[in-house]
Amino acid sequence: MKLTLSWLKDHLETDASLAEIVERLTSIGLEVEHVDDRSSLKPFVIARVLTAVQHPDADRLRVLTVDTGDGKAPVQVVCGAPNARAGLVGAFAAPGTYIPGIDVTLAVGKIRGVESHGMMCSERELELSEEHDGIIDLPADAPVGTSFAAYAHLDDPLIEINLTPNRPDATSVYGIARDLAASGLGRLVGGAIMPHAGSGMRPVTVTIEAPELCPGFALRLVRGVKNGPSPKWLQQRLIAIGLRPISALVDITNYVTFDRGRPLHVFDANKVAGNLTVRRARNSEKVLALDGREYTLTPDMCVIADEDGVESIAGIMGGEHSGCDENTTDVLIESALWDPITTARTGRTLGIISDARYRFERGVDPEFMVPGVELATKLVLDFCGGTPTEIEVAGYAGHKPKIVSFPLSEVKRLTGIEVPRDESLDILSRLGFKPQGTSDVVNVAVPSWRPDVDGKADLVEEVMRIHGVDNIAPQPLGAHDAVNAKILTVLQVRTRAAKRALAVRGMMEAVTWSFIPAKHAELFGGGRTGLKLANPIAADMSDMRPSLLPGLIAAAQRNADKGIGDVALFEVSGTYEGDAADQQRRVAAGVRRGTAKLDGSGRHWAGNAGPVGVFDAKADAIAALEACGAPVERLQIEAGGPAWYHPGRSGTIKLGPKVILGTFGEFHPKTLEELDVSGPLCGFEVFVDAVPEPKAKPTRTKPRLELSAFQAVKRDFAFVVDKAVEAGTLTRAALAADRKLITNVAVFDVFEGASLGAAKKSIAIEVSIQPVEKTLTDEDFEALAKRIVENVNKQTGGVLRA
């Protein structure tokens, strides 16, 4: 929100300085983001042209002698303006002055062989308007040598406020002045609006077919207007806040929008066919808007239409067809109320950002609907003349204020500050609230311009921002006699640990969008049961991601497209399979592309490394699970995974038969084709929130692992099994023979040959045995070996190799 100091003082009678106003605005919650003291215009002075002669070598140039009023000799200036003449008084810029309209800092130069010591400026060069056909021509009595900015009232400081979405009342200069007056910085003025007695009824009536989208509509016709440029003071105010003056009628609507937070629209009455109707747009109905673009509408949008079709997108932008121009003689002034949610949805869908939408989607003052028409009528009559008709008001049932029960003790409870009862009630009254009651609990009527106030906490906020949060006395943090309890949750600790573990493995962290295209969501398990957005910000961001892999794969491909083909990326974040709590998970995922292996091998003098594969993804997944505290020694790996992986080069990590902790593998060629990416690519996902918490917690006084005093022993076994038997199944069978003595089982050889028989293979394992109670005898070892052989034979059908 931008405003000038003089504009603010139209509504705030105060002796406060600019610095005091800026400080107070921030202290009451209207944070000042920037202040422009308009110093860029201070170097320009009023000067008089003494002589103007033809340039000796240019037909369109004149050589001027200019009196700058500094008491020194006149300066020579080369000028190409057609209105340059002796006796003209204008704005002069000396060498070294920055010209904002052309982004140039002047210097002494030669133009066609004649030296020029400055510039006589046009309005566009000073960013006052788009006029550049001639230099500024001031009255003959303008004081030569004085500041042009001060003379033209262009030294008015500009204040920019960073508004929060919950303050629709502060989207107007009057609303900001009201807050400052309530804070004690001045007196609120200029609020009264006198009604105009209309002459006759309008020939155009309004019908509201969609009252749920339009709670009220006010309309007035003004006949016999003459539309031309708006007054200079109005143009300067609009230019100061970044708006381009267009014509008096259009400038009036912009002025009322910013002055009172009341967006209006003006129709050329002679271009409106028949009566106006407020209705839902028809499917695929089109309208050419004032920005020159054609928009296709849908039935969930609200429009103002006449008998020929749509004339305005309600609450957002008017149509080009019925817009006012220099030929307008009869004008319809419209002031309506629009549903905030529909306005916001329509604006996002169509991609239109306008000052009207900005205010309507936050909520405008319903009680200012009719006064807004009256204010616009006054300005139209002042600037353009004409005769107004009566105002037609359709659909408006009046405003029923919200009543909030407010225990005054809430101020102390929520803020820790004791604000006297009378001061709290006085603050609310100055802000326009109406507290009623004599007890410690009062009923407060909320003013029509504050739709954001719903409960007692909101009222506490209003009291505190005016009372002053700087009145809160600083308090040191209290010291604790005991060690603080843990701050991070288990999930937060696991997230950090997983990130560190994957980063140690040479992977780079990526942050991808939570929204992905519907096609990608379906590929990774989203489909019809996925979580779709009602109002996506883009067509290719329509679904919440059911998996982290689509975003990571796309990121890897973008790197490859820029020449970085060997890349390893990971992300630890949320996935969304549905809107239920158990369908939203914390997942650690990663992808490797090209030759981005853990050892960093790629291009090397010894030759190129092999491509990444399923075992690289498996190692990443196991590392992430181990960092999260999963019992890695008890994990089970099953062949195969979800459909987006290669069926023969993927796996599923389980803890027991039911608990799935993750998946990994190389991606299916069809998946890569659907994503329009190239490989080799492998990846994994582990479910951080599925890892069970450990039952035993280590302490400093009691070590978790007890060291044995006896020598560990290793024994080797080789079993002949069917080719279909997995090595993991065999190792688990051996480990189950005696979990107290056997600490580890590792495969060190796999052999296939004709001597073993068809469809057979040999798997050799090393069994680590750690006695804990006594030294084992030969008989103990023989008994353990027998149990291992029996267990492997029972679970895999394997026999000891001779």
Side-chain angles (χ1 to χ4, degrees), residues 624-645:
L625 286 172
E626 186 175 16
C628 292
V632 176
E633 69 281 356
R634 294 194 286 120
L635 297 181
Q636 302 173 13
I637 310 296
E638 289 187 359
W644 51 87
Y645 290 118

PDB file of all heavy atoms in Angstrom, residues 624-645:
ATOM      1  N   ALA A 624      20.369 -44.805   5.167  1.00  0.00           N
ATOM      2  CA  ALA A 624      19.356 -43.890   5.709  1.00  0.00           C
ATOM      3  C   ALA A 624      18.594 -44.544   6.855  1.00  0.00           C
ATOM      4  O   ALA A 624      18.324 -43.911   7.887  1.00  0.00           O
ATOM      5  CB  ALA A 624      18.400 -43.459   4.604  1.00  0.00           C
ATOM      6  N   LEU A 625      18.232 -45.806   6.698  1.00  0.00           N
ATOM      7  CA  LEU A 625      17.500 -46.507   7.756  1.00  0.00           C
ATOM      8  C   LEU A 625      18.367 -46.670   9.007  1.00  0.00           C
ATOM      9  O   LEU A 625      17.887 -46.517  10.134  1.00  0.00           O
ATOM     10  CB  LEU A 625      17.043 -47.873   7.251  1.00  0.00           C
ATOM     11  CG  LEU A 625      15.867 -47.858   6.275  1.00  0.00           C
ATOM     12  CD1 LEU A 625      15.631 -49.241   5.700  1.00  0.00           C
ATOM     13  CD2 LEU A 625      14.602 -47.356   6.971  1.00  0.00           C
ATOM     14  N   GLU A 626      19.643 -46.978   8.814  1.00  0.00           N
ATOM     15  CA  GLU A 626      20.538 -47.128   9.957  1.00  0.00           C
ATOM     16  C   GLU A 626      20.666 -45.815  10.717  1.00  0.00           C
ATOM     17  O   GLU A 626      20.669 -45.787  11.958  1.00  0.00           O
ATOM     18  CB  GLU A 626      21.909 -47.602   9.490  1.00  0.00           C
ATOM     19  CG  GLU A 626      22.865 -47.915  10.637  1.00  0.00           C
ATOM     20  CD  GLU A 626      24.175 -48.501  10.158  1.00  0.00           C
ATOM     21  OE1 GLU A 626      24.465 -48.385   8.946  1.00  0.00           O
ATOM     22  OE2 GLU A 626      24.907 -49.084  10.974  1.00  0.00           O
ATOM     23  N   ALA A 627      20.732 -44.677   9.978  1.00  0.00           N
ATOM     24  CA  ALA A 627      20.819 -43.378  10.630  1.00  0.00           C
ATOM     25  C   ALA A 627      19.557 -43.065  11.420  1.00  0.00           C
ATOM     26  O   ALA A 627      19.601 -42.367  12.432  1.00  0.00           O
ATOM     27  CB  ALA A 627      21.071 -42.289   9.584  1.00  0.00           C
ATOM     28  N   CYS A 628      18.424 -43.597  10.966  1.00  0.00           N
ATOM     29  CA  CYS A 628      17.154 -43.358  11.657  1.00  0.00           C
ATOM     30  C   CYS A 628      16.943 -44.293  12.831  1.00  0.00           C
ATOM     31  O   CYS A 628      15.897 -44.218  13.503  1.00  0.00           O
ATOM     32  CB  CYS A 628      15.989 -43.498  10.671  1.00  0.00           C
ATOM     33  SG  CYS A 628      15.940 -42.208   9.414  1.00  0.00           S
ATOM     34  N   GLY A 629      17.876 -45.209  13.059  1.00  0.00           N
ATOM     35  CA  GLY A 629      17.768 -46.094  14.208  1.00  0.00           C
ATOM     36  C   GLY A 629      17.112 -47.423  13.926  1.00  0.00           C
ATOM     37  O   GLY A 629      16.741 -48.146  14.850  1.00  0.00           O
ATOM     38  N   ALA A 630      16.958 -47.775  12.640  1.00  0.00           N
ATOM     39  CA  ALA A 630      16.354 -49.065  12.308  1.00  0.00           C
ATOM     40  C   ALA A 630      17.314 -50.198  12.655  1.00  0.00           C
ATOM     41  O   ALA A 630      18.533 -50.055  12.493  1.00  0.00           O
ATOM     42  CB  ALA A 630      15.998 -49.115  10.825  1.00  0.00           C
ATOM     43  N   PRO A 631      16.810 -51.343  13.118  1.00  0.00           N
ATOM     44  CA  PRO A 631      17.680 -52.496  13.427  1.00  0.00           C
ATOM     45  C   PRO A 631      18.150 -53.168  12.136  1.00  0.00           C
ATOM     46  O   PRO A 631      17.512 -54.101  11.635  1.00  0.00           O
ATOM     47  CB  PRO A 631      16.762 -53.395  14.252  1.00  0.00           C
ATOM     48  CG  PRO A 631      15.378 -53.056  13.796  1.00  0.00           C
ATOM     49  CD  PRO A 631      15.395 -51.610  13.434  1.00  0.00           C
ATOM     50  N   VAL A 632      19.242 -52.670  11.592  1.00  0.00           N
ATOM     51  CA  VAL A 632      19.699 -53.121  10.274  1.00  0.00           C
ATOM     52  C   VAL A 632      19.953 -54.621  10.255  1.00  0.00           C
ATOM     53  O   VAL A 632      19.709 -55.302   9.246  1.00  0.00           O
ATOM     54  CB  VAL A 632      20.978 -52.339   9.874  1.00  0.00           C
ATOM     55  CG1 VAL A 632      21.527 -52.840   8.557  1.00  0.00           C
ATOM     56  CG2 VAL A 632      20.676 -50.849   9.803  1.00  0.00           C
ATOM     57  N   GLU A 633      20.425 -55.171  11.371  1.00  0.00           N
ATOM     58  CA  GLU A 633      20.750 -56.600  11.385  1.00  0.00           C
ATOM     59  C   GLU A 633      19.513 -57.481  11.256  1.00  0.00           C
ATOM     60  O   GLU A 633      19.619 -58.665  10.924  1.00  0.00           O
ATOM     61  CB  GLU A 633      21.509 -56.945  12.671  1.00  0.00           C
ATOM     62  CG  GLU A 633      20.682 -56.858  13.957  1.00  0.00           C
ATOM     63  CD  GLU A 633      20.497 -55.439  14.470  1.00  0.00           C
ATOM     64  OE1 GLU A 633      21.087 -54.518  13.839  1.00  0.00           O
ATOM     65  OE2 GLU A 633      19.796 -55.256  15.479  1.00  0.00           O
ATOM     66  N   ARG A 634      18.338 -56.940  11.483  1.00  0.00           N
ATOM     67  CA  ARG A 634      17.118 -57.737  11.407  1.00  0.00           C
ATOM     68  C   ARG A 634      16.263 -57.414  10.174  1.00  0.00           C
ATOM     69  O   ARG A 634      15.151 -57.900  10.046  1.00  0.00           O
ATOM     70  CB  ARG A 634      16.277 -57.527  12.677  1.00  0.00           C
ATOM     71  CG  ARG A 634      16.940 -58.073  13.921  1.00  0.00           C
ATOM     72  CD  ARG A 634      15.990 -58.164  15.097  1.00  0.00           C
ATOM     73  NE  ARG A 634      15.689 -56.864  15.688  1.00  0.00           N
ATOM     74  CZ  ARG A 634      14.477 -56.348  15.776  1.00  0.00           C
ATOM     75  NH1 ARG A 634      13.448 -56.999  15.277  1.00  0.00           N
ATOM     76  NH2 ARG A 634      14.280 -55.171  16.340  1.00  0.00           N
ATOM     77  N   LEU A 635      16.764 -56.568   9.305  1.00  0.00           N
ATOM     78  CA  LEU A 635      16.004 -56.206   8.108  1.00  0.00           C
ATOM     79  C   LEU A 635      15.949 -57.359   7.125  1.00  0.00           C
ATOM     80  O   LEU A 635      16.901 -58.133   6.994  1.00  0.00           O
ATOM     81  CB  LEU A 635      16.624 -54.976   7.432  1.00  0.00           C
ATOM     82  CG  LEU A 635      16.639 -53.673   8.245  1.00  0.00           C
ATOM     83  CD1 LEU A 635      17.255 -52.549   7.434  1.00  0.00           C
ATOM     84  CD2 LEU A 635      15.238 -53.298   8.705  1.00  0.00           C
ATOM     85  N   GLN A 636      14.850 -57.433   6.396  1.00  0.00           N
ATOM     86  CA  GLN A 636      14.667 -58.457   5.369  1.00  0.00           C
ATOM     87  C   GLN A 636      14.505 -57.777   4.013  1.00  0.00           C
ATOM     88  O   GLN A 636      13.781 -56.796   3.882  1.00  0.00           O
ATOM     89  CB  GLN A 636      13.435 -59.297   5.676  1.00  0.00           C
ATOM     90  CG  GLN A 636      13.477 -59.988   7.025  1.00  0.00           C
ATOM     91  CD  GLN A 636      12.172 -60.665   7.369  1.00  0.00           C
ATOM     92  OE1 GLN A 636      11.309 -60.821   6.518  1.00  0.00           O
ATOM     93  NE2 GLN A 636      12.019 -61.074   8.619  1.00  0.00           N
ATOM     94  N   ILE A 637      15.184 -58.319   3.028  1.00  0.00           N
ATOM     95  CA  ILE A 637      15.130 -57.767   1.669  1.00  0.00           C
ATOM     96  C   ILE A 637      14.370 -58.744   0.786  1.00  0.00           C
ATOM     97  O   ILE A 637      14.756 -59.914   0.653  1.00  0.00           O
ATOM     98  CB  ILE A 637      16.530 -57.531   1.077  1.00  0.00           C
ATOM     99  CG1 ILE A 637      17.406 -56.738   2.058  1.00  0.00           C
ATOM    100  CG2 ILE A 637      16.414 -56.821  -0.260  1.00  0.00           C
ATOM    101  CD1 ILE A 637      16.918 -55.345   2.332  1.00  0.00           C
ATOM    102  N   GLU A 638      13.277 -58.282   0.205  1.00  0.00           N
ATOM    103  CA  GLU A 638      12.507 -59.089  -0.739  1.00  0.00           C
ATOM    104  C   GLU A 638      12.691 -58.546  -2.140  1.00  0.00           C
ATOM    105  O   GLU A 638      12.736 -57.331  -2.347  1.00  0.00           O
ATOM    106  CB  GLU A 638      11.020 -59.072  -0.380  1.00  0.00           C
ATOM    107  CG  GLU A 638      10.661 -59.836   0.872  1.00  0.00           C
ATOM    108  CD  GLU A 638       9.158 -59.916   1.072  1.00  0.00           C
ATOM    109  OE1 GLU A 638       8.418 -59.345   0.236  1.00  0.00           O
ATOM    110  OE2 GLU A 638       8.726 -60.545   2.063  1.00  0.00           O
ATOM    111  N   ALA A 639      12.792 -59.461  -3.086  1.00  0.00           N
ATOM    112  CA  ALA A 639      12.942 -59.048  -4.481  1.00  0.00           C
ATOM    113  C   ALA A 639      11.659 -58.399  -4.968  1.00  0.00           C
ATOM    114  O   ALA A 639      10.559 -58.790  -4.590  1.00  0.00           O
ATOM    115  CB  ALA A 639      13.294 -60.250  -5.357  1.00  0.00           C
ATOM    116  N   GLY A 640      11.823 -57.394  -5.840  1.00  0.00           N
ATOM    117  CA  GLY A 640      10.669 -56.724  -6.422  1.00  0.00           C
ATOM    118  C   GLY A 640      10.228 -55.528  -5.597  1.00  0.00           C
ATOM    119  O   GLY A 640      10.495 -55.436  -4.402  1.00  0.00           O
ATOM    120  N   GLY A 641       9.587 -54.605  -6.274  1.00  0.00           N
ATOM    121  CA  GLY A 641       9.121 -53.393  -5.612  1.00  0.00           C
ATOM    122  C   GLY A 641       7.933 -52.816  -6.348  1.00  0.00           C
ATOM    123  O   GLY A 641       7.290 -53.498  -7.152  1.00  0.00           O
ATOM    124  N   PRO A 642       7.610 -51.554  -6.108  1.00  0.00           N
ATOM    125  CA  PRO A 642       6.488 -50.914  -6.798  1.00  0.00           C
ATOM    126  C   PRO A 642       6.687 -50.902  -8.316  1.00  0.00           C
ATOM    127  O   PRO A 642       7.791 -51.124  -8.822  1.00  0.00           O
ATOM    128  CB  PRO A 642       6.486 -49.499  -6.223  1.00  0.00           C
ATOM    129  CG  PRO A 642       7.183 -49.617  -4.907  1.00  0.00           C
ATOM    130  CD  PRO A 642       8.210 -50.683  -5.088  1.00  0.00           C
ATOM    131  N   ALA A 643       5.612 -50.598  -9.020  1.00  0.00           N
ATOM    132  CA  ALA A 643       5.602 -50.717 -10.474  1.00  0.00           C
ATOM    133  C   ALA A 643       6.552 -49.759 -11.166  1.00  0.00           C
ATOM    134  O   ALA A 643       6.904 -49.984 -12.333  1.00  0.00           O
ATOM    135  CB  ALA A 643       4.177 -50.497 -10.998  1.00  0.00           C
ATOM    136  N   TRP A 644       6.959 -48.670 -10.500  1.00  0.00           N
ATOM    137  CA  TRP A 644       7.860 -47.730 -11.188  1.00  0.00           C
ATOM    138  C   TRP A 644       9.308 -48.202 -11.199  1.00  0.00           C
ATOM    139  O   TRP A 644      10.150 -47.594 -11.826  1.00  0.00           O
ATOM    140  CB  TRP A 644       7.769 -46.340 -10.558  1.00  0.00           C
ATOM    141  CG  TRP A 644       7.920 -46.292  -9.063  1.00  0.00           C
ATOM    142  CD1 TRP A 644       9.054 -46.194  -8.353  1.00  0.00           C
ATOM    143  CD2 TRP A 644       6.850 -46.319  -8.097  1.00  0.00           C
ATOM    144  NE1 TRP A 644       8.797 -46.164  -7.005  1.00  0.00           N
ATOM    145  CE2 TRP A 644       7.448 -46.213  -6.815  1.00  0.00           C
ATOM    146  CE3 TRP A 644       5.465 -46.400  -8.184  1.00  0.00           C
ATOM    147  CZ2 TRP A 644       6.698 -46.216  -5.644  1.00  0.00           C
ATOM    148  CZ3 TRP A 644       4.715 -46.391  -7.024  1.00  0.00           C
ATOM    149  CH2 TRP A 644       5.326 -46.299  -5.774  1.00  0.00           C
ATOM    150  N   TYR A 645       9.605 -49.315 -10.484  1.00  0.00           N
ATOM    151  CA  TYR A 645      10.946 -49.893 -10.534  1.00  0.00           C
ATOM    152  C   TYR A 645      10.993 -51.029 -11.557  1.00  0.00           C
ATOM    153  O   TYR A 645       9.975 -51.622 -11.921  1.00  0.00           O
ATOM    154  CB  TYR A 645      11.338 -50.453  -9.165  1.00  0.00           C
ATOM    155  CG  TYR A 645      11.585 -49.419  -8.098  1.00  0.00           C
ATOM    156  CD1 TYR A 645      10.804 -49.381  -6.945  1.00  0.00           C
ATOM    157  CD2 TYR A 645      12.616 -48.498  -8.217  1.00  0.00           C
ATOM    158  CE1 TYR A 645      11.038 -48.457  -5.939  1.00  0.00           C
ATOM    159  CE2 TYR A 645      12.861 -47.566  -7.210  1.00  0.00           C
ATOM    160  CZ  TYR A 645      12.062 -47.553  -6.082  1.00  0.00           C
ATOM    161  OH  TYR A 645      12.301 -46.632  -5.114  1.00  0.00           O
TER     162      TYR A 645
END
